[in-house]
Amino acid sequence: MHVLILGGTSEARRLAELLHATPGVTPTSSLAGRVASPRLPPGEVRVGGFGGVEGLTAWLREHRVDVLIDATHPFAGTISFHAAWAAATAHVPLLALRRPGWVPVEGDDWHDAGSLEEAALLLPALGRRVFLTTGRMGLAAFAALDELWFLVRSVDAPEAPHPARLEVLLERGPFTLDGERELIRRHRIDVVVTKDSGGGATAPKLTAAREAGLPVVVVRRPPVPEGVPVVSDPESAARWVGERLEGDSRTTG
């Protein structure tokens, strides 16, 4: 069984490990190539885009993909919809692997935003020194906020357009609670902006913000395409693949 994993997340790497160790399964992980030095999963790896829906559909057919798993970042909305269209066209079963989103707890001061642009509109009323943890893509949404100072944390250096008053931290998670506390204190942060990425690797910033009494602007994640089944962890995705492998074995047997 050939499984194509649309990856780039820690969950995708873990799934590749599980499937690579499963007899009868050949995983191929596809990475978008937006990070200069990605952590490569086991098994076959391809880097770069497919060329839209048509390109992905052709790749599924040419490489005889039996199962497609969308394990991309929760905010990689375009590729998720491309995957849904391509899987339906090529008649390939599709599963979405999405880590659960964050849930506010008592003491949190969260402000909901439907997009980066909406988050930017909220900021002037919330603070002046912004810890922006939405990644290097999409900084143009905040470029006009000249009166605010931004601390941006990302794996690779951001490109223009971006806010004029900007300091960049090139770091990769996971991050510790003590580290996030010190970062907020040292840079005198008074508001945090994050996407609802979920998971534990970057969650300590939310605890640190709650302890410091800081407002947090949380950008909602886009929905999974309608009709696509969703699991929340790599082990469940691996079982889903195993069930199809077992079903194929019964059919051919």
Side-chain angles (χ1 to χ4, degrees), residues 57 60-61 65-66 85-93:
T57 303
L60 294 174
R61 288 170 169 163
V65 173
D66 299 293
W85 277 99
T89 303
H91 303 290
V92 172

Side-chain angles (χ1 to χ4, degrees), residues 35-118:
V35 176
S37 299
R39 297 172 181 171
L40 298 181
E44 297 294 322
V45 178
R46 68 172 302 281
V47 179
F50 291 93
V53 175
E54 294 80 5
L56 178 54
T57 303
W59 204 96
L60 294 174
R61 288 170 169 163
E62 179 182 353
H63 295 270
R64 298 182 180 275
V65 173
D66 299 293
V67 170
L68 176 61
I69 299 183
D70 173 16
T72 55
H73 191 276
F75 281 83
T78 299
I79 184 60
S80 295
F81 281 89
H82 285 182
W85 277 99
T89 303
H91 303 290
V92 172
L94 170 64
L95 178 73
L97 170 56
R98 291 287 187 276
R99 69 186 74 147
W102 291 316
V103 178
V105 300
E106 184 176 356
D108 281 326
D109 180 15
W110 286 14
H111 299 259
D112 182 73
S115 64
L116 292 177
E117 290 75 15
E118 189 174 324

